[in-house]
Amino acid sequence: RITQGTFSYLPDLTDEEVRAQLQYAIGQGWAVAVEFTDDPHPRSNLWEMWSLPMFDIADAAAGLAEIRACRAAHPDHYVRVCAYDASYGRQSTALSFIVGRPPAEPGFGLDRQEAAGRAIRYTLSAYAARHPHGQRYQG
């Protein structure tokens, strides 16, 4: 089970709990965006943007509708919500959490490499990345 972002060690949030988090972000004045990927490597911050960030929504229902549409269009991908705080004058993620997962999560492997001077290096690679893009989580 991929654990990234806020709430990652909790059970998956219900839509009502997601709605509450969206309303909190909106109340803080943060822009909300929905993103998806089929390769959730922990160092990859660049997920596909589902639609334009929602800068001026007043009700979490709009954000929840976008989440549901993204889940329906990409059932074999990870879907997350990011809330951006513009008060710092740059793109700063204030809140990020996963709201959709593929039915099966194969996880990651740790590859060990020996380097000069008896140094050992490790590389993290997703088992799913062994399959072509777009076919990583299909049965």
Side-chain angles (χ1 to χ4, degrees):
R1 179 176 155 88
I2 300 296
T3 53
Q4 294 182 22
T6 312
F7 317 122
S8 64
Y9 290 96
L10 297 176
D12 290 339
L13 299 179
T14 65
D15 279 1
E16 201 52 44
E17 291 168 329
V18 170
R19 178 191 298 264
Q21 294 303 320
L22 290 173
Q23 199 61 52
Y24 173 79
I26 293 165
Q28 300 301 308
W30 300 337
V32 175
V34 178
E35 301 174 339
F36 64 96
T37 189
D38 68 346
D39 184 13
H41 191 283
R43 291 187 184 242
S44 174
N45 293 325
L46 301 175
W47 290 28
E48 299 286 331
M49 185 83 60
W50 168 248
S51 61
L52 294 175
M54 296 169 270
F55 291 102
D56 56 357
I57 58 174
D59 186 1
L64 196 54
E66 290 296 325
I67 290 168
R68 288 178 176 152
C70 185
R71 286 178 186 154
H74 301 285
D76 294 325
H77 287 64
Y78 290 88
V79 178
R80 77 176 173 193
V81 169
C82 292
Y84 298 103
D85 182 358
S87 67
Y88 295 109
R90 60 187 179 277
Q91 180 176 324
S92 299
T93 305
L95 180 65
S96 174
F97 56 98
I98 293 176
V99 295
R101 299 172 180 276
E105 297 183 74
F108 289 87
L110 192 62
D111 299 318
R112 177 182 165 150
Q113 302 151 359
E114 304 216 10
R118 298 178 54 106
I120 298 174
R121 295 189 178 125
Y122 294 95
T123 302
L124 195 63
S125 59
Y127 293 126
R130 295 177 181 166
H131 302 289
H133 181 72
Q135 298 176 7
R136 293 180 176 166
Y137 290 95
Q138 296 174 356

